[in-house]
Amino acid sequence: MNIILLGAPGSGKGTQAALLSEKFNLQHISTGELCRKEVSKGTTLGSKLADIMKAGQLIPDILIIDILKQHLLESSKSNKGFIFDGFPRTISQAKDLDNMLADLKLTVEHVIQINVDKNYIVSRLSSRTSCAQCGHVYNDKTNPTLVSGVCDKCGSKEFIHRQDDNEEIILKRLDVYSTLTAPLIPYYQGMGKLHQIDGNTDVETVSNRIENLLNADKVSPKSASV
Ligand SMILES: [Zn+2]
């Protein structure tokens, strides 16, 4: 079973991908992580990527597709399905991905979109802090420290509120995200692969919703609930 997870920054997509990969024994593929790994390997491609990232530019789609392809070829022996987290983000990436997967005789069965209200994301992200000492990440609303104002891990009393976590920047990021990804919805809907999940609740409930959906689909693989 191969899956794409779609969701705005702050939708909890990364967390859900990690949970799904455990529950269904799937390989969690984050393109950001693959790129960083390539850089650390010091390959020709890796140093090219490092230059692009240092310049603060976006990595061209063609390079990301190449990296993904190589990764899938190397890991195809493991015979595990995969979850794409954070890719594709645009319609052209989605088409490139489909072509590349077709080359490898692979296909994506399910595209799961986690829908979360803007207000919910803003309140979730803007209440995120990290320990100034050890970097552990907390959330005043969903994942607070055990003792107020004291890091559970190292006891430090200093916390950092990330600059890019303020409301205005979050809203801008969400706008960019929805503009880019909007065309993906009819694209995958047309293939009968899209599932929409209400993500305006806690991590466990959302995870159970996704699990139920995938389990139901195992029984009747033809049904594509939207
Ligand atoms: Zn700490």
Side-chain angles (χ1 to χ4, degrees), residues 28-140:
H28 180 181
I29 301 180
S30 147
T31 49
E33 213 166 281
L34 283 182
C35 289
R36 284 190 290 276
K37 224 183 246 170
E38 194 67 37
V39 169
S40 72
K41 278 195 281 185
T43 57
T44 317
L45 179 59
S47 61
K48 203 165 164 185
L49 289 174
D51 289 343
I52 295 169
M53 290 193 267
K54 248 181 252 156
Q57 286 162 347
L58 284 176
I59 296 168
D61 290 354
I62 188 154
L63 284 186
I64 298 183
I65 292 283
D66 270 356
I67 292 165
L68 275 176
K69 186 171 189 177
Q70 201 181 316
H71 178 76
L72 289 172
L73 278 170
E74 283 165 8
S75 60
S76 61
K77 300 168 226 105
S78 74
N79 221 2
K80 273 186 182 181
F82 52 78
I83 306 174
F84 284 129
D85 165 14
F87 192 90
R89 294 190 75 167
T90 65
I91 189 73
S92 98
Q93 287 179 347
K95 288 175 179 168
D96 288 348
L97 178 65
D98 279 346
N99 290 334
M100 183 270 278
L101 290 175
D103 279 351
L104 300 179
K105 310 251 180 307
L106 292 170
T107 181
V108 166
E109 282 91 14
H110 302 287
V111 179
I112 300 168
Q113 187 187 32
I114 305 174
N115 290 315
V116 181
D117 291 342
K118 265 187 189 180
N119 292 340
Y120 195 85
I121 291 179
V122 169
S123 94
R124 196 189 259 175
L125 286 185
S126 57
S127 47
R128 202 160 62 168
T129 55
S130 61
C131 173
Q133 212 49 260
C134 72
H136 194 77
V137 178
Y138 297 95
N139 190 301
D140 298 340

Side-chain angles (χ1 to χ4, degrees), residues 194-207:
L194 187 76
H195 309 271
Q196 310 247 21
I197 296 278
D198 176 2
N200 294 293
T201 181
D202 61 283
V203 169
E204 206 189 326
T205 307
V206 175
S207 174

Side-chain angles (χ1 to χ4, degrees), residues 199-217:
N200 294 293
T201 181
D202 61 283
V203 169
E204 206 189 326
T205 307
V206 175
S207 174
N208 288 336
R209 283 176 185 163
I210 298 175
E211 190 179 356
N212 290 340
L213 179 155
L214 293 175
N215 282 331
D217 205 84

